[in-house]
């Protein structure tokens, strides 16, 4: 869409002479947008939102609840779901604010962070907005590559368990990661996601089938199992795994920007996240009750590999994760290709980075071949920053600073699903916040709410990272050769031969 079309989508309330013309121009442009075949329906958006949040994190929820308790764990999952959904809403709201202020079609996460920092009343922040843009890019890069590391561990451990039913002396997880690297490198040279469209559709079917098989093994005899502890004290470990599960913060803006009816997103987001949270609670609670303290970093590792259905679930989900690896890998390669845009020998450098990053993620996975530990670490380090810390900071930089902003852009935002928390008044053609509203208890509560979420995210970031690192050090120094979760060593005792 051109810049002129973007301007016509904005209603100029200050100029009465041009108001009729703006309305007449707006109508045909909006119709053109609705007829765009690439825009998604409400139902498709919900499906994409659910798919963007359901991955290895879903399978790790029983392991997370184990560290919080069968009573406290679900309560904390609901609380985190509410906070994460609210942070997604904050990100969408502020993205729309800056899009209208700058008269552009849409903004991505790093750009929203950039403009929020640029408008902050703190000089150090306002003078270095590009630092905050790159900060978001860095954490996005860490998150995506972290997902790729987790996927290596997942594929290796699940495939190895299946292979061991025919080959009891199968090598360790690390060897299976090396085997997995070969097709990963070849597939990493797929440069267009359109090529993966058919595979993605197949992956969705495989995901549904795998979950059905998991429930088939989990539900029978569930009421006969002994009730696990109501409360456990390992909350930091729970935090890292749980926040990893809510991994959809990066897909929120792209989904909202591609909707036919973006005004409905304020209903779709809580509905979609409600479905996701319900699935998390169902898998997390039933999985922990079923397997108790023996639960693994992925519930698929607890399924008896000798049974055909369990084998099918592990293989199907491994294929799903293989495709997911390619999709997650696409994001960092987009960033790298942007940096290489004007360089010489671009194709050669692109090939080098694809091979290097694929090998790097495999090496990092082999260094810590414990799925639960890796999920907890990535969640605490990167997911907490992107999902909990930065969205409320963006809102603070934008709406709680004394600098002047055109908050009337929110005055009539019902068509885009955005509600304003601010009352403004006009004086000498400058939009200012009403002094009465600025001092109101509502404004103070909104500010305190954002501060609370930021501090909550920072505490989770620090404590979760420390707990994950301690768990990793402990697992590496106390390797269990008979670990049911296949924690990186050969369960038959032949690890020294293969490592």
């Amino acid at each position: 869409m051109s810049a002129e079309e973007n301007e016509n989508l904005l209603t100029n309330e200050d100029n009465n002479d041009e108001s009729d013309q703006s309305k007449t121009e707006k109508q045909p442009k909006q119709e053109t947008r609705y007829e765009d075949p690439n825009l998604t329906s409400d139902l498709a958006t919900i499906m994409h939102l659910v798919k963007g949040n359901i991955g290895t994190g879903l399978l790790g929820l029983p392991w997370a609840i184990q560290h919080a308790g069968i009573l406290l764990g679900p309560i904390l999952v609901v609380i985190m779901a509410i906070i994460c959904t609210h942070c997604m809403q904050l990100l969408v709201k502020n993205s729309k604010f800056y899009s209208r202020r700058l008269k552009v079609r849409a903004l991505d996460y790093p750009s929203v962070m950039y403009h929020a920092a640029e408008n902050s009343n703190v000089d150090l922040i306002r003078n270095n907005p590009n630092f905050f843009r790159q900060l978001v890019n860095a954490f996005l890069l860490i998150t995506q590559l972290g997902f790729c590391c987790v996927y290596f561990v997942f594929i290796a451990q699940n495939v190895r368990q299946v292979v061991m039913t025919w080959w009891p002396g199968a090598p360790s997880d690390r060897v299976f990661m090396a085997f997995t690297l070969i097709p990963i490198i070849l597939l990493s040279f797929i440069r267009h996601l359109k090529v993966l469209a058919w595979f993605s559709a197949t992956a969705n079917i495989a995901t549904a089938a795998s979950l059905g098989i998991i429930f088939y093994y989990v539900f029978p005899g569930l009421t006969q199992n002994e009730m696990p502890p109501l409360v456990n004290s390992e909350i930091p470990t729970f935090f890292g795994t749980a926040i990893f599960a809510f991994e959809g913060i990066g897909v929120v803006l792209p989904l909202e920007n591609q909707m036919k009816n973006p005004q409905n997103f304020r209903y779709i987001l809580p509905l979609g996240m409600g479905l996701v949270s319900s699935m998390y609670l169902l898998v997390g609670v039933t999985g922990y009750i079923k397997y108790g303290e023996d639960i693994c970093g992925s519930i698929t590792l607890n399924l008896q590999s000798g049974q055909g259905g369990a084998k099918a679930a592990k293989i199907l989900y491994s294929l799903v994760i293989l495709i997911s690896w390619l999709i997650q890998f696409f994001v960092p390669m987009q960033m790298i290709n942007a940096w290489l845009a004007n360089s010489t020998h671009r194709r050669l450098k692109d090939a080098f980075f694809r091979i290097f990053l694929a090998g790097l993620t495999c090496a990092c996975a082999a260094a810590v071949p414990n799925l639960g530990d890796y999920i907890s670490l990535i969640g605490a380090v990167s997911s907490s920053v992107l999902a909990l810390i930065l969205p409320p900071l963006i809102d603070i930089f934008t709406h709680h600073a004394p600098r002047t902003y055109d908050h009337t852009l929110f005055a009539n935002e019902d068509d885009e699903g955005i509600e304003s928390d601010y009352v403004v008044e006009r004086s000498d053609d400058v939009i200012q916040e009403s002094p009465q509203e600025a001092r109101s208890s509502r404004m103070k509560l909104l500010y305190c709410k954002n501060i609370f979420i930021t501090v909550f995210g920072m505490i989770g970031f620090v404590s979760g990272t420390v707990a994950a690192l301690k768990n990793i050090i402990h697992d590496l120094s106390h390797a269990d050769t008979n670990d049911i979760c296949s924690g990186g060593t050969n369960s038959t005792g032949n690890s020294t031969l293969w490592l």
Side-chain angles (χ1 to χ4, degrees), residues 289-421:
I289 293 176
K290 179 70 173 182
Y291 298 108
E293 299 305 312
D294 292 329
I295 192 67
C296 299
S298 170
I299 193 174
T300 56
L301 298 174
N302 288 101
L303 303 181
Q304 297 181 10
S305 298
Q307 301 183 11
K311 293 178 183 178
K314 294 177 182 183
I315 295 299
L316 284 175
Y317 230 113
S318 295
L319 293 175
V320 170
I321 296 303
L322 179 64
I323 297 173
S324 298
W325 190 99
L326 299 176
I327 296 174
Q328 300 292 351
F329 187 73
F330 184 79
V331 176
M333 283 310 304
Q334 272 190 320
M335 298 180 183
I336 291 174
N337 283 325
W339 299 334
L340 298 176
N342 299 321
S343 64
T344 57
H345 307 293
R346 178 181 174 183
R347 298 284 289 186
L348 182 62
K349 293 178 180 178
D350 172 85
F352 167 78
F353 276 109
R354 290 180 185 276
I355 297 174
F356 172 75
L357 290 179
L360 178 64
T361 54
C362 180
C364 291
V368 188
N370 185 294
L371 190 59
D373 291 344
Y374 235 126
I375 289 177
S376 180
L377 179 63
I378 299 302
V381 171
S382 57
S383 298
S384 60
V385 175
L386 294 175
L388 295 178
I389 298 177
L390 294 183
L393 282 180
I394 290 174
D395 202 56
I396 291 174
F397 293 165
T398 303
H399 302 298
H400 298 281
R403 302 186 70 201
T404 58
Y405 307 109
D406 187 4
H407 288 298
T408 53
L409 290 176
F410 280 136
N412 295 302
E413 292 283 1
D414 287 341
D415 61 323
E416 294 293 342
I418 303 173
E419 298 177 356
S420 176
D421 296 321

Side-chain angles (χ1 to χ4, degrees), residues 44-264:
T45 302
I46 292 178
M47 294 177 62
H48 290 318
L49 182 63
V50 172
K51 183 177 181 294
N53 282 274
I54 290 182
T56 52
L58 168 68
L59 304 179
L61 254 297
W63 191 81
I65 291 180
Q66 175 200 15
H67 292 84
I70 195 62
L71 175 62
L72 182 59
I75 294 175
L76 293 178
V77 169
V78 172
I79 293 174
M80 293 189 67
I82 294 173
I83 295 177
C84 288
T85 302
H86 178 68
C87 288
M88 292 177 183
Q89 292 172 326
L90 289 180
L91 186 60
V92 172
K93 182 186 75 172
N94 287 283
S95 172
K96 285 300 177 185
F97 172 76
Y98 288 111
S99 295
R100 291 176 177 275
R101 188 165 182 248
L102 300 171
K103 300 181 179 180
V104 296
R105 171 69 176 83
L107 292 172
D108 58 11
Y109 197 158
S111 298
V112 175
M113 186 75 245
Y114 175 88
H115 292 294
E118 193 177 41
N119 288 328
S120 172
N121 64 310
V122 180
D123 291 339
L124 181 63
I125 297 175
R126 185 172 64 253
N127 295 333
N128 298 279
N130 196 57
F131 167 80
F132 289 89
R133 184 206 295 269
Q134 298 306 325
L135 179 68
V136 175
N137 281 327
F139 276 103
L140 285 173
L141 189 64
I142 293 172
T143 302
Q144 300 305 123
L145 293 179
F147 288 162
C148 292
C149 295
V150 170
Y151 294 165
F152 260 109
V153 180
F154 182 93
I155 294 172
Q157 291 188 348
N158 280 275
V159 172
R160 178 175 178 269
Q161 282 194 349
V162 174
V163 172
M164 286 187 67
T165 60
W166 299 299
W167 183 17
S172 70
D173 297 339
R174 292 184 173 95
V175 176
F176 278 86
M177 292 178 198
F179 292 156
T180 306
L181 179 61
I182 298 174
I184 284 287
I185 290 179
L186 297 176
L187 294 174
S188 69
F189 280 87
I190 296 178
R191 291 181 169 85
H192 302 286
L193 287 179
K194 186 177 181 180
V195 179
L196 295 176
W198 186 86
F199 295 99
S200 296
T202 305
N204 292 337
I205 299 175
T207 300
S210 300
L211 289 176
I213 295 173
I214 291 173
F215 289 137
Y216 172 79
Y217 285 104
V218 169
F219 286 157
L222 196 63
T223 57
Q224 300 175 4
N225 289 47
E226 182 180 351
M227 185 62 63
L230 297 180
V231 177
N232 284 328
S233 59
E234 300 176 1
I235 304 301
T237 302
F238 164 85
F239 175 87
T241 307
I243 194 62
F244 178 92
F246 292 98
E247 58 190 61
I249 187 72
V251 305
V252 171
L253 290 182
L255 287 179
E256 196 271 346
N257 292 333
Q258 292 298 316
M259 285 187 64
K260 291 180 180 179
N261 304 296
Q263 70 274 12
N264 294 336

Side-chain angles (χ1 to χ4, degrees), residues 246-287:
F246 292 98
E247 58 190 61
I249 187 72
V251 305
V252 171
L253 290 182
L255 287 179
E256 196 271 346
N257 292 333
Q258 292 298 316
M259 285 187 64
K260 291 180 180 179
N261 304 296
Q263 70 274 12
N264 294 336
F265 194 70
R266 57 177 167 177
Y267 308 113
I268 289 176
L269 180 58
L271 176 60
M273 294 307 298
L275 294 174
V276 170
S277 302
S278 299
M279 182 66 71
Y280 285 171
L281 289 173
L282 179 62
V283 174
V285 172
T286 58

Side-chain angles (χ1 to χ4, degrees), residues 14-26:
D14 302 332
N15 191 336
N16 294 328
D17 295 332
E18 296 179 4
S19 60
D20 293 336
Q21 181 180 357
S22 298
K23 293 179 181 178
T24 56
E25 291 179 353
K26 180 179 178 180

Side-chain angles (χ1 to χ4, degrees), residues 411-488:
N412 295 302
E413 292 283 1
D414 287 341
D415 61 323
E416 294 293 342
I418 303 173
E419 298 177 356
S420 176
D421 296 321
Y422 308 94
V423 176
V424 296
E425 62 181 12
R426 180 179 300 279
S427 176
D428 297 330
D429 296 328
V430 177
I431 304 299
Q432 296 178 337
E433 293 180 4
S434 168
Q436 180 179 1
E437 178 66 15
R439 293 190 301 267
S440 69
S441 59
R442 178 173 173 78
M443 288 293 294
K444 293 178 182 178
L445 287 174
L446 290 172
Y447 183 80
C448 291
K449 176 264 300 177
N450 285 333
I451 292 294
F452 170 78
I453 296 176
T454 303
V455 173
F456 174 75
M458 289 181 176
I459 294 175
F461 170 81
V462 175
S463 62
T465 301
V466 172
L469 291 176
K470 286 183 178 180
N471 290 336
I472 290 173
I473 294 173
H474 177 271
D475 289 343
L476 291 177
S477 58
H478 299 82
D480 184 1
T481 57
N482 295 310
D483 185 10
I484 189 176
C485 300
S486 185

